[in-house]
Amino acid sequence: QVQLVESGGGSVQAGGSLRLSCKASQYFSCMAWFRQAPGKEREGVARIYSIGGDTLYRDSEGRFTISQDNAKTTTYLQMDNLKSEDSAMYYCAATNEWCGLGKSDYSHWGQGTQVTVSI
């Protein structure tokens, strides 16, 4: 059974940093991070292709960086200079198909990790 397990969320003051991790039970060719704030749609934040490392970001003003470990089974999201509007549940997503930042691109999802940024 495929598992994606997120960790690293928490509470931080505006301007601070967090590093989210997503451990996958198997290799996927494409991994991504999404987030969903209360009352809002789930939106793609960043994605990375495991082969070649090509990345794609929703405009985060260069504050977020997606990366992977050498085994390509753990995907990270480094978030710097966090703002209150970054507060959301962050989800890891995976697929072995072509992928962008759309929810429908992904077939596997984690349970999420909460990020709360206070002013």
Side-chain angles (χ1 to χ4, degrees):
Q1 182 179 354
V2 172
Q3 283 190 316
L4 301 175
V5 180
E6 302 99 332
S7 62
S11 297
V12 64
Q13 288 190 326
S17 298
L18 284 174
R19 188 194 197 201
L20 306 183
S21 298
C22 172
K23 176 64 177 175
S25 56
Q26 66 182 64
Y27 170 90
F28 287 96
S29 61
C30 181
M31 301 290 296
W33 286 97
F34 283 72
R35 67 185 181 186
Q36 187 168 18
K40 294 189 176 181
E41 291 290 318
R42 189 172 298 190
E43 63 178 11
V45 174
R47 75 98 170 101
I48 185 168
Y49 276 112
S50 298
I51 296 177
D54 180 68
T55 57
L56 176 67
Y57 294 92
R58 177 177 300 275
D59 184 13
S60 60
E61 305 167 329
R63 299 181 294 116
F64 294 178
T65 304
I66 190 170
S67 63
Q68 294 183 302
D69 67 350
N70 289 337
K72 312 298 184 183
T73 55
T74 300
T75 301
Y76 305 99
L77 184 69
Q78 176 68 39
M79 305 187 293
D80 298 316
N81 191 20
L82 283 160
K83 303 178 179 181
S84 58
E85 51 263 44
D86 296 318
S87 296
M89 185 71 79
Y90 282 71
Y91 297 91
C92 179
T95 183
N96 282 317
E97 306 295 331
W98 177 91
C99 58
L101 291 178
K103 291 182 295 184
S104 61
D105 295 341
Y106 298 88
S107 49
H108 302 284
W109 294 86
Q111 294 300 304
T113 186
Q114 179 68 41
V115 171
T116 303
V117 184
S118 58
I119 298 173

